[in-house]
């Protein structure tokens, strides 16, 4: 069994793997091919009689649209801000939850709960029960403190969306960091204490380096999900007010389901694929570097 | 013997199977306006009279309904047998062959009784593609008690400048009374209905004669600036998310001094279960700016049958039932005359009880002064008052609506909003190949 694979075995293996790979390829390639095909057509389902090849016109129009560039910027801001908030809060929460205190398991469960709420439900709860300027909890809080009421979704649409996303995803980051913290050798911490490290030094020299792989993993997984955030925007602000929270995904939705412009939506979709690939390549490099010299971080 | 009973059992199963198959299910997509909710309730009568028919309802807010229904019909998905669509969609979809025309309408239905104005708006080349469930124009709702207290007299034809003055006088947010409630929720059928008609009377138009969008014109700037100032100064909080429904609720609860919106909402104000303004609501012509054209819109929510429906004949029968004289009598008997679907039948307005209602004649007057071919002072290439009857308008109107809502919310300046709207509309019209 252990001898090197002969050519016959290789063929058997290939034959066994082929169906799964084939299905996967079809799964991926058919929608992609269709998107590419439609992105080169003038195709609006409202006037099917005007269907036809237009070359790169859809891309050209998209690239000349100032909204496209600003929405690309907003997508990156959304991803970046949500990542920063979730990672920082996740670390803080993980450090808190790692300590022994009464009711810890319940606290952990509560801290984890938001992750299991569906995005649309989370968005609705935030929109109607927390951030609503008239009957939201936040407006009640601020007004009972004598502060002016903030109309979150109208005046701070992007900030509000980042808050909602962070609320949902911080538990995930916390969970990963907590697991990582628990795998930390006790001796190392003790040694550091004995050497007289203060808490800040402990954190930056011992804990953070230990967490760096977990951070890389969280950043990678989260960015892939954050790039495709849609439900939260759709439910709370509808890309507005004005264009203030229109991201790349929302533009694609608007082109496809408000304008029924399949050609333009497909072109936008391809840009999203390219953007996701760029981000993924950068992240994979980052991870790969960390993986190659794990001893660096112990 | 055993075999016999088995055969009998089989026969019974088969028979019941065919009986089951004979039941026709009609799926009706409609908008969550009060008149449609009444229709849904009363339709149990129809099911009782027609045991073979089972009605399934899909009731949605306006914007969602439009997305669902348009996707469904354009992709030929065929999820619905009856659609609730309006004077915008019917001519376009009728021309594309997406709707089943209403031909050979039964004599006792009396189609001649339906206002010709509305029939024309729902026809393509004299073929009727949808039957009006109700039809409406727009007018000004106001609180006569507040007006009397302040000593304001309502002129025959108010202007927007006057409305602003009155709103300023009556605005009393401490007591939850706002000077004016107007739609702010983005959507071509939401905020653009009111912003569009307001802009018309300021002399603005969506497109010039070459179909080029004209949204950065001085007229548009003046109109949108006026609207944004009016709403920011004298509107209710969160106005940018208030659509027809929210404003109707606000006005009925006594929170608004003035409101320009659909005539069809008037009946709701006379429903004591929902409305605190039964005795204090009054109506006047929709205000004008600098030109009289286009202050009153013309709209009809109508029932149409997509060409994909396999049960078109059964669906037609239901549509005739829901829009018949008998149905109107039934609503009057159940819910009172104020609740009947307005604006469709002459016979409704011949009822002494109905014409007595303060909004009845005013609705007719507003509808009759609405001319979809002359939306504003300057000539326009399109038909329609708050919209243009071209497929691209949904997209154009949605983009303008979003931009205007952004200005209303204070996210952008009016100039920026109109520039965004202009560049978006320009892109849409270019993509569609108008120039």
């Amino acid at each position: 069994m252990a001898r090197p694979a002969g050519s016959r075995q290789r063929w058997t293996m290939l034959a066994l793997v082929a169906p799964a790979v084939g299905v996967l390829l079809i799964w991926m390639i058919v929608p992609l091919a269709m998107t590419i095909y439609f992105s080169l057509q003038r195709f609006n389902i409202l006037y099917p009689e005007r269907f036809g090849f237009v070359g790169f016109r859809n891309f050209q129009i998209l690239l000349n649209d100032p909204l496209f560039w600003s929405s690309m910027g907003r997508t990156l801001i959304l991803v970046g801000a949500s990542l920063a908030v979730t990672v920082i809060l996740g670390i803080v929460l993980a450090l808190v939850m790692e300590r022994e205190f009464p009711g810890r398991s319940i606290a952990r469960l509560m801290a984890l709960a938001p992750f299991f709420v569906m995005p649309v439900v989370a968005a609705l709860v935030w929109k109607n029960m927390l951030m609503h300027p008239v009957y939201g909890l936040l407006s009640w809080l601020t007004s009972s403190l004598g502060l002016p009421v903030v109309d979150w979704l109208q005046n701070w649409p992007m900030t509000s969306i980042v808050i909602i996303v962070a609320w949902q995803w911080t538990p995930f980051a916390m969970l990963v960091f907590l697991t990582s913290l628990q795998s930390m050798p006790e001796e190392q911490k003790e040694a550091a204490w004995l050497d007289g490290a203060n808490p800040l030094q402990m954190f930056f020299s011992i804990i953070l380096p230990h967490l760096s792989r977990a951070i890389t993993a969280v950043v990678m997984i989260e960015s892939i999900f954050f790039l495709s955030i849609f439900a939260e925007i759709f439910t709370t602000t509808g890309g507005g007010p004005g264009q203030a929270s229109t991201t790349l995904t929302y533009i694609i939705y608007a082109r496809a389901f408000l304008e029924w412009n399949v050609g333009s939506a497909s072109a936008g979709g391809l840009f999203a694929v390219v953007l996701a690939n760029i981000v993924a390549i950068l992240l994979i490099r980052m991870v790969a570097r960390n993986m190659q010299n794990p001893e660096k971080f112990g | 013997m055993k075999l016999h009973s088995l055969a009998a059992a089989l026969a019974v199963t088969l028979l019941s199977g065919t009986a089951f198959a004979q039941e026709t299910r009609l799926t009706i997509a409609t908008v969550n306006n009060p008149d449609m909710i009444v229709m849904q309730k009363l339709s149990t009568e129809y099911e009782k009279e027609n045991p073979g028919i089972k009605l399934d309802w899909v009731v949605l807010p306006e914007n969602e309904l439009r997305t669902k229904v348009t996707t469904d019909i354009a992709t030929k998905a065929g999820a619905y047998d009856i659609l609730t669509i309006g004077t915008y969609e019917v001519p376009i979809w009728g021309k594309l062959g997406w709707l089943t025309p209403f031909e050979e309408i039964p004599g006792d239905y009396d189609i001649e009784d339906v206002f010709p104005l509305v029939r024309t708006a729902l026809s393509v080349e004299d073929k009727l593609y949808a039957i009006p469930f109700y039809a409406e124009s727009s007018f000004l709702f106001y609180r006569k008690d507040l007006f009397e207290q302040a000593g304001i007299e309502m002129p025959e034809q108010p202007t927007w400048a006057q409305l602003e003055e009155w709103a300023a006088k009556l605005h009393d947010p401490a007591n939850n009374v706002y000077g004016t409630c107007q739609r702010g929720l983005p959507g071509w059928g939401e905020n653009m209905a009111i912003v569009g008609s307001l802009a018309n009377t300021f002399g603005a138009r969506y497109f010039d004669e070459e179909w080029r969008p004209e949204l950065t014109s001085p007229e548009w700037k003046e109109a949108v600036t006026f609207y944004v100032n009016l709403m920011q100064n004298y509107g209710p909080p969160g106005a940018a998310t208030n659509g027809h429904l929210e404003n109707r609720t606000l006005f009925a609860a006594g929170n608004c001094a003035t409101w320009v919106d659909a005539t069809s909402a008037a009946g709701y104000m006379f429903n004591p279960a929902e409305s605190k303004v039964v005795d204090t609501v009054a109506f006047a012509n929709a205000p004008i700016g600098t030109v009289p054209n286009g202050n009153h819109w013309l709209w009809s929510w109508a029932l149409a049958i997509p060409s994909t429906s396999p049960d078109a004949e059964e669906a037609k029968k239901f549509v005739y039932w829901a829009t018949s004289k008998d149905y109107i009598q039934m609503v009057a008997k159940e819910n009172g005359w104020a609740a009947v679907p307005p604006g469709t039948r002459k016979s409704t307005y011949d009822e002494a009880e109905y014409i007595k209602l303060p909004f009845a004649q005013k609705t007719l007057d507003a509808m009759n002064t609405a001319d979809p071919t002359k939306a504003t002072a300057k000539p326009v290439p399109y038909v329609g008052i708050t919209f243009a009857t071209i497929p691209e308008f949904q997209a154009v109107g949605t983009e303008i609506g979003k931009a205007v809502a952004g200005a209303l919310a204070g996210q952008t300046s009016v100039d920026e909003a109109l520039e965004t709207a202009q560049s978006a509309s320009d892109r849409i019209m270019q993509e569609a190949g108008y120039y």
Side-chain angles (χ1 to χ4, degrees):
Chain A
M1 284 306 265
R3 72 194 163 94
S7 74
R8 213 182 122 194
Q9 265 178 322
R10 198 173 301 154
W11 280 114
T12 325
M13 204 169 74
L14 214 67
L16 286 172
V17 176
V21 173
V23 167
L24 258 177
L25 276 181
I26 291 168
W27 187 272
M28 264 173 51
I29 285 172
V30 169
L32 188 67
M34 279 175 76
T35 312
I36 294 173
Y37 170 73
F38 281 125
S39 71
L40 302 174
Q41 308 289 330
R42 174 154 99 184
F43 181 29
N44 186 315
I45 60 171
L46 292 185
Y47 28 96
E49 75 283 2
R50 287 190 219 146
F51 186 87
F53 182 75
V54 288
F56 290 101
R57 195 152 173 262
N58 286 324
F59 293 92
Q60 199 192 332
I61 290 174
L62 200 63
L63 291 175
N64 285 328
D65 188 351
L67 181 61
F68 173 72
W69 293 106
S70 61
S71 73
M72 192 83 115
R74 277 188 288 267
T75 308
L76 294 176
I77 290 171
L78 177 65
V79 173
S82 309
L83 275 178
V85 177
T86 50
V87 168
I88 294 169
L89 277 183
I91 292 175
V92 172
L93 274 175
L95 287 172
V96 172
M97 294 295 170
E98 201 215 358
R99 295 180 169 243
E100 289 283 352
F101 59 88
R104 183 174 74 160
S105 52
I106 290 176
R108 278 186 183 179
L109 201 67
M110 297 289 281
L112 201 59
F115 191 55
F116 298 103
V117 179
M118 279 182 285
V120 177
V121 178
L124 278 175
V125 167
W126 276 90
K127 179 190 182 188
N128 294 322
M129 294 166 75
L130 298 171
M131 286 174 167
H132 196 278
V134 179
Y135 40 82
L137 184 71
L138 295 178
S139 78
W140 176 80
L141 273 177
T142 48
S143 59
S144 48
L145 289 173
L147 298 168
V149 168
V150 181
D151 191 346
W152 285 94
L153 292 166
Q154 188 154 318
N155 297 331
W156 304 95
M158 283 299 280
T159 317
S160 309
I161 291 165
V162 170
I163 292 175
I164 298 171
V165 171
W167 178 79
Q168 283 182 282
W169 282 87
T170 303
F172 170 76
M174 181 201 75
L175 194 67
V176 176
F177 297 149
L178 194 60
T179 325
S180 170
L181 280 180
Q182 283 170 341
S183 75
M184 200 166 160
E186 279 301 315
E187 303 82 42
Q188 206 180 0
K189 277 199 264 182
E190 270 168 39
W193 283 126
L194 289 174
D195 285 344
N198 66 28
L200 270 183
Q201 284 171 325
M202 271 298 280
F203 178 74
F204 285 105
S205 309
I206 307 285
I207 296 175
L208 206 57
H210 178 79
L211 282 179
S212 71
R213 279 166 79 177
I215 294 175
T216 324
V218 166
V219 167
M220 184 157 102
I221 294 169
E222 285 191 346
S223 3
I224 288 162
F225 281 95
F226 290 173
L227 274 171
S228 58
I229 280 175
F230 173 74
E232 290 83 350
I233 302 174
F234 176 78
T235 323
T236 54
T237 62
Q243 322 286 358
S245 57
T246 300
T247 60
L248 195 54
T249 43
Y250 197 84
I251 276 207
I252 297 167
Y253 159 79
R255 291 283 191 279
F257 293 102
L258 298 176
E259 294 181 15
W260 286 278
N261 191 337
V262 180
S264 184
S266 303
L270 287 179
F271 275 109
V273 171
V274 171
L275 184 71
N277 272 303
I278 292 173
V279 173
I281 289 168
L282 288 178
L283 290 170
I284 287 170
R285 284 209 168 157
M286 205 164 91
V287 177
R289 209 171 298 141
N290 266 352
M291 295 295 179
Q292 270 160 11
N293 30 352
E295 67 281 355
K296 192 174 145 197
F297 299 115
Chain B
M1 281 310 275
K2 250 197 179 152
L3 211 72
H4 271 229
S5 57
L6 199 73
L10 201 71
V12 168
T13 328
L14 279 176
L15 276 175
S16 61
T18 43
F20 184 74
Q22 265 169 3
E23 185 187 80
T24 310
R25 293 187 88 92
L26 297 176
T27 309
I28 306 167
T30 196
V31 60
N32 63 349
N33 288 351
D35 292 274
M36 282 72 176
I37 306 288
V38 171
M39 165 166 69
Q40 187 186 2
K41 231 199 253 146
L42 294 179
S43 68
T44 48
E45 285 297 313
Y46 185 81
E47 284 177 307
K48 252 183 245 159
E49 288 164 27
N50 301 272
I53 305 285
K54 178 82 186 52
L55 303 172
D56 292 323
W57 292 84
V58 178
V59 186
L60 295 166
E62 197 165 323
N63 281 347
E64 273 96 291
L65 175 83
R66 289 217 162 94
T67 315
K68 271 255 163 76
V69 161
T70 310
T71 318
D72 184 74
I73 199 160
T75 58
K76 310 260 186 302
Y80 309 112
D81 297 294
I82 297 169
L83 310 174
T84 309
I85 50 178
T87 46
Y88 167 74
E89 291 94 350
V90 174
I92 300 171
W93 296 0
K95 213 186 249 168
L96 285 168
W98 289 355
L99 302 173
T100 310
F102 285 86
E103 289 162 313
E104 295 154 26
I105 297 165
D108 59 352
Y109 178 77
D110 195 4
I111 187 73
E112 293 302 317
D113 187 40
V114 177
F115 290 121
L117 181 77
V118 183
R119 269 189 284 154
T120 315
L122 299 173
S123 301
V124 181
E125 284 157 15
D126 293 330
K127 243 190 220 170
L128 197 60
Y129 278 91
I131 303 260
F133 180 68
Y134 72 69
E136 62 176 38
S137 183
S138 51
F139 54 22
L140 169 63
F141 294 67
Y142 69 99
R143 289 272 303 279
K144 60 183 177 204
D145 56 331
L146 298 177
F147 271 63
E148 269 166 32
Q149 274 168 33
I152 305 165
E153 195 143 331
M154 181 57 74
E156 175 68 27
Q157 175 59 66
T159 67
W160 278 107
Q162 284 174 318
L163 186 128
E164 190 175 28
E165 273 172 42
W166 303 329
K169 257 188 210 166
L170 303 173
H171 190 57
D172 185 10
N175 289 313
N176 284 325
V177 175
Y178 304 100
T180 192
C181 299
Q182 307 295 345
R183 299 185 192 184
L185 183 72
W188 70 265
E190 279 287 2
N191 64 348
M192 287 320 289
I194 186 68
V195 175
S197 62
L198 183 145
N200 286 335
T201 70
F202 278 76
R205 52 183 181 175
Y206 286 117
F207 306 103
D208 69 7
E209 291 100 316
E210 260 74 61
W211 284 105
R212 288 183 190 271
E214 217 183 45
L215 298 158
T216 43
S217 69
E219 291 92 347
W220 268 106
K221 277 183 189 163
E222 202 192 334
V224 176
T225 308
F226 175 85
Y227 162 83
V228 167
N229 286 340
L230 178 74
M231 292 312 292
Q232 283 180 348
N233 294 335
Y234 313 118
T241 50
N242 287 347
H244 171 78
L245 240 114
E246 291 79 3
N247 283 330
R248 195 183 64 212
T249 314
L250 279 171
F251 193 91
N255 295 125
C256 312
T258 58
W259 177 40
V260 182
D261 213 307
T263 54
S264 58
Y268 183 85
M269 299 304 158
F270 288 88
N271 177 358
E274 309 274 3
S275 162
K276 289 186 194 160
V277 296
V278 178
D279 301 316
T280 53
V281 59
F283 311 93
N285 282 332
I288 56 169
T290 50
V291 288
N293 309 43
N295 62 329
H296 291 140
W297 68 62
L298 181 68
W299 180 258
S300 168
W301 277 118
L303 302 175
I305 295 158
S307 49
T308 47
S309 171
D311 301 306
E313 285 312 307
E314 292 296 341
K316 273 183 187 173
K317 274 187 208 153
F318 176 78
V319 171
Y320 292 140
W321 175 83
T323 56
S324 65
K325 289 179 193 168
D326 289 345
Y327 175 81
I328 288 173
Q329 292 290 340
M330 186 155 85
V331 178
K333 213 176 84 199
E334 297 273 326
N335 299 347
W337 274 102
V340 307
T344 54
R345 285 180 168 272
K346 289 175 211 160
S347 55
T348 310
Y349 289 82
D350 291 338
E351 293 284 343
E353 279 289 300
Y354 190 68
I355 199 73
K356 245 180 16 202
L357 291 164
F359 59 85
Q361 188 59 44
K362 288 222 163 68
T363 299
L364 278 192
D365 294 346
M367 281 174 66
N368 286 325
T369 53
D371 183 354
T373 59
K374 289 194 189 65
T376 182
K378 283 188 221 162
V380 290
Y382 50 89
V383 177
I385 296 172
T386 60
F387 54 81
T389 320
I390 52 168
E392 296 77 16
F393 186 78
Q394 290 205 52
V396 171
T398 304
E399 291 290 349
I400 309 173
K402 269 176 81 175
V404 169
L408 177 58
Q411 281 285 332
T412 59
S413 70
V414 170
D415 282 2
E416 280 167 357
L418 288 174
E419 266 152 37
T420 311
Q422 173 74 14
S423 82
S425 313
D426 188 49
R427 170 182 60 76
I428 292 159
M429 295 306 276
Q430 252 188 63
E431 270 179 281
Y434 278 82
Y435 47 86

